Amino acid sequence: MSAYRNGEISHWMRASRAANGRTGSSDRRSGGLPEAMQDLVIVGGGLTGLWTAYHAAVERPGAKITVLEAKEVGYGASGRNGGWLSALVPGNRAVYAKAARKRGKDGAAAVTSFQREMDGAIDDTLRILQEEGIQADQHRGGHLRVATTPAALKRLELTHAADLAAGYRPEDLELLDADAVKKRVAIAPALGGLLTRTTACVDPAKLTHGLAEAVEAKGVRILENTRVTRIAPGAVTTTRGTVSAATVLTCLEAYSGAVDSEARGLGKREIIPVNSSMIVTNQLPEQIWERIGWQGRECLGDAAHTFVYAQRTADDRIAIGGRGTPYAFNSRTPGQGRVDARTVRTLSERIRLFFPGLQFTVEHAWRGAIGVTRDWCAGITFDPATGIGVARGFAGHGVTATHLAARTLLDRAAGRDTALTRLPWNDHDSGRWEPEPLRWLGVHAMYRLFGVADRWEESRHSQNTSLIARFGSRLAGLSE
């Protein structure tokens, strides 16, 4: 395999910087910390933090709002992800329904409300991008999940029924046979697929950088290279000093464990960083795209247990990702995001499986970390006594969920009783991860089981989901 860029945050970040004439972090580090009491301090300069700042600034023009970022805007998952603006709920719908029933509410209705709000968050995101003039290569082509084995096809049929029961509109979902899939994207082993029409693809770094500029234009101050070390009521301690604030909202996701705080939702055993890796190919010539298709620029995934996610980029590359090496001992985060050669080969082989004979080179590989709770469900908390709120645990479904979480956090902080504050992720208790080395062993065992199950189903052309995968899903708490 020819040489490729490895790490350096991501292809998205590198390209977005180049488009803006930057070679590295921006100049948002300049100036000292605000001396006056801030109305709102947001910890974390990713999508959750930026959306929170955006909506707060729109709601309260002139308010003193500061965003504190340890590295640079988009350094975490917001600048490294697959760019799926999807309606996938961040968590297990059955777990949310059960939690709602424990509170005396209708579990099915709670999940349906959650799903409808996720749908609306896609619409709202695209509307704001248009209004603010943010060009993030956004395109609403849908989400196509492809089955390459009979067992995977059966899972998609069950997913279709479950999605309808959970609040998806019938007109937004369509089961496709093999021919219908291949008319959209010529995936050689496709047996069928499930199309979700609401999903859009974006360039995540362009989205994040564009949102940061829109936030600053509304008077919000963003301070990069300002690492927060402690959060306490009314005060945020950083490596550059302390900022006073009436309200502090923590939006650190996979990096939550790096901050000292008594706030619920933070800590190494409440949320862990699970790694996901990506590669991007060279720009492919038009004659190849004529053969492949993919003219609708659908977000593309498969129905394997160790699934991949992909998009055709605006400049005609294939960007594809998957879990690779999923977890580093003691919740270490990926730094600049270098990827091991085995994971790069695995993702390259998935492209070759989908498109036999395709000639391509890998130009860039990187990895990032998603925040995962013990039950894989996201949670929003706010304590009126301390003025501290937390959003965390999007588990890889955060591009849309960050927008919804931001609005929910602000409603919680304002003490409003709204449809958002009644969603089942509010004050959701996910439990705690096991101590090391048990959690390292558990996470790696789960992915090993899923890998074995995929090989079993593929080699035997199995009609039913492997018992090994069912056991792995129950072990991880992923079964619905």
Side-chain angles (χ1 to χ4, degrees):
M1 185 178 293
S2 59
Y4 50 85
R5 293 188 181 278
N6 198 338
E8 301 179 25
I9 302 182
S10 73
H11 163 76
W12 311 117
M13 289 287 281
R14 180 179 175 82
S16 181
R17 286 169 175 167
N20 288 285
R22 300 190 186 113
T23 57
S25 178
S26 75
D27 59 1
R28 295 186 179 104
R29 72 187 75 181
S30 61
L33 297 179
E35 296 180 1
M37 168 75 76
Q38 299 295 288
D39 298 300
L40 173 62
V41 165
I42 297 163
V43 182
L47 284 172
T48 313
L50 294 173
W51 279 123
T52 302
Y54 179 89
H55 287 292
V58 169
E59 184 179 304
R60 298 176 60 190
K64 295 183 178 66
I65 303 169
T66 297
V67 177
L68 302 175
E69 165 56 41
K71 296 288 188 179
E72 62 177 294
V73 163
Y75 177 84
S78 296
R80 311 190 194 203
N81 64 76
W84 286 21
L85 187 63
S86 83
L88 292 168
V89 167
N92 188 318
R93 294 179 295 204
V95 172
Y96 284 131
K98 182 178 179 180
R101 288 193 295 270
K102 285 185 177 179
R103 299 177 185 177
K105 299 179 181 179
D106 184 328
V111 169
T112 296
S113 296
F114 202 169
Q115 187 60 65
R116 297 287 164 79
E117 293 292 349
M118 287 291 293
D119 290 340
I122 298 175
D123 296 334
D124 203 34
T125 297
L126 294 174
R127 174 187 62 79
I128 291 171
L129 296 189
Q130 182 175 8
E131 289 178 356
E132 296 291 346
I134 298 173
Q135 178 47 254
D137 298 333
Q138 58 268 32
H139 175 78
R140 202 166 202 170
H143 170 198
L144 179 59
R145 279 171 281 191
V146 177
T148 59
T149 67
L153 184 60
K154 187 172 291 187
R155 285 195 295 275
L156 286 184
E157 292 169 351
L158 294 173
T159 297
H160 177 255
D163 285 350
L164 290 174
Y168 279 81
R169 294 169 299 203
E171 61 269 25
D172 291 335
L173 294 176
E174 184 180 1
L175 280 170
L176 305 177
D177 62 18
D179 288 340
V181 169
K182 292 172 183 178
K183 284 179 181 178
R184 287 178 171 271
V185 189
I187 296 174
L191 301 180
L194 175 61
L195 177 67
T196 306
R197 292 189 170 85
T198 50
T199 301
C201 63
V202 296
D203 179 314
K206 288 182 180 179
L207 170 61
T208 306
H209 288 158
L211 185 57
E213 292 172 5
V215 162
E216 288 179 309
K218 296 185 186 309
V220 174
R221 190 172 185 192
I222 301 174
L223 291 176
E224 296 180 318
N225 294 289
T226 307
R227 185 169 65 86
V228 171
T229 58
R230 178 168 174 74
I231 298 171
V236 179
T237 304
T238 80
T239 50
R240 299 173 58 196
T242 300
V243 182
S244 299
T247 302
V248 180
L249 299 180
T250 307
C251 307
L252 290 170
E253 189 55 344
Y255 298 83
S256 297
V259 175
D260 179 20
S261 173
E262 296 179 3
R264 181 181 161 204
L266 302 178
K268 287 188 176 180
R269 289 188 59 192
E270 292 200 48
I271 181 167
I272 64 170
V274 171
N275 295 315
S276 194
S277 301
M278 291 197 72
I279 61 172
V280 68
T281 71
N282 60 305
Q283 292 177 285
L284 302 178
E286 182 58 33
Q287 59 267 31
I288 288 181
W289 290 113
E290 289 176 359
R291 176 165 63 88
I292 291 176
W294 214 341
Q295 300 303 316
R297 286 188 59 203
E298 297 90 345
C299 293
L300 180 64
D302 62 6
H305 304 291
T306 52
F307 60 87
V308 295
Y309 50 91
Q311 65 157 285
R312 174 182 177 177
T313 68
D315 62 348
D316 289 334
R317 305 170 188 270
I318 296 176
I320 186 169
R323 289 294 185 262
T325 303
Y327 175 72
F329 189 82
N330 205 28
S331 296
R332 293 195 306 275
T333 50
Q336 287 289 313
R338 287 186 62 82
V339 184
D340 62 280
R342 181 180 62 82
T343 297
V344 175
R345 286 195 302 272
T346 297
L347 292 172
S348 300
E349 288 166 2
R350 185 59 53 148
I351 295 176
R352 295 188 181 96
L353 172 69
F354 286 173
F355 310 114
L358 176 65
Q359 298 298 312
F360 67 92
T361 58
V362 175
E363 287 203 352
H364 200 151
W366 69 93
R367 65 188 171 107
I370 60 176
V372 176
T373 62
R374 185 60 184 88
D375 64 0
W376 293 74
C377 288
I380 309 291
T381 64
F382 183 79
D383 184 353
T386 63
I388 300 173
V390 176
R392 86 288 186 269
F394 300 125
H397 298 158
V399 181
T400 306
T402 52
H403 187 163
L404 187 59
R407 293 170 50 219
T408 305
L409 267 177
L410 291 172
D411 279 358
R412 292 289 302 272
R416 293 187 285 257
D417 179 15
T418 68
L420 300 187
T421 64
R422 292 190 291 271
L423 292 177
W425 64 351
N426 284 283
D427 298 314
H428 179 71
D429 184 2
S430 291
R432 302 180 74 195
W433 283 93
E434 293 77 6
E436 295 289 20
L438 293 179
R439 69 171 175 267
W440 185 92
L441 292 169
V443 172
H444 282 263
M446 177 188 72
Y447 281 102
R448 287 279 184 89
L449 289 172
F450 286 158
V452 170
D454 282 332
R455 290 190 291 274
W456 175 281
E457 292 176 8
E458 290 167 3
S459 64
R460 289 164 174 76
H461 222 53
S462 174
Q463 298 291 321
N464 297 300
T465 293
S466 165
L467 292 175
I468 299 170
R470 296 180 192 179
F471 175 73
S473 292
R474 290 192 177 277
L475 178 70
L478 294 173
S479 299
E480 286 199 350

